[in-house]
């Protein structure tokens, strides 16, 4: 494909994709920040000079195929 030959079509398609993307993103509601439900989890996520922040990742375990 000769990119120079099809540059106008590439430009028009790019504008159409960007316009559709902006329209889609503008229709998504804005996030609403709220304080955490429990104080214990909030305290563990804050790093201070003497302690490190703790991150707990939990995922379901898959059965082993042996």
């Amino acid at each position: 494909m000769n990119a120079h030959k099809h540059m106008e079509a590439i430009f028009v398609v790019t504008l159409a994709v960007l316009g559709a993307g902006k329209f889609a993103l503008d229709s998504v509601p804005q996030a609403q920040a709220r304080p955490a439900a429990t104080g214990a989890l909030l305290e563990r996520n804050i790093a201070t000079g003497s302690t490190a922040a703790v991150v707990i990742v939990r995922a379901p375990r898959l059965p082993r195929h042996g």
Side-chain angles (χ1 to χ4, degrees), residues 7-46:
M7 190 57 74
E8 183 179 357
I10 293 170
F11 181 74
V12 171
V13 169
T14 302
L15 285 179
V17 169
L18 290 176
K22 181 169 176 20
F23 180 75
L25 286 177
D26 286 344
S27 65
V28 175
Q30 195 171 16
Q32 300 294 322
R34 294 186 289 279
T38 60
L41 292 176
L42 182 63
E43 293 173 2
R44 296 177 72 187
N45 291 333
I46 298 174

Side-chain angles (χ1 to χ4, degrees), residues 40-48 51-59:
L41 292 176
L42 182 63
E43 293 173 2
R44 296 177 72 187
N45 291 333
I46 298 174
T48 61
T51 62
V54 177
V55 178
I56 300 172
V57 179
R58 294 191 176 130

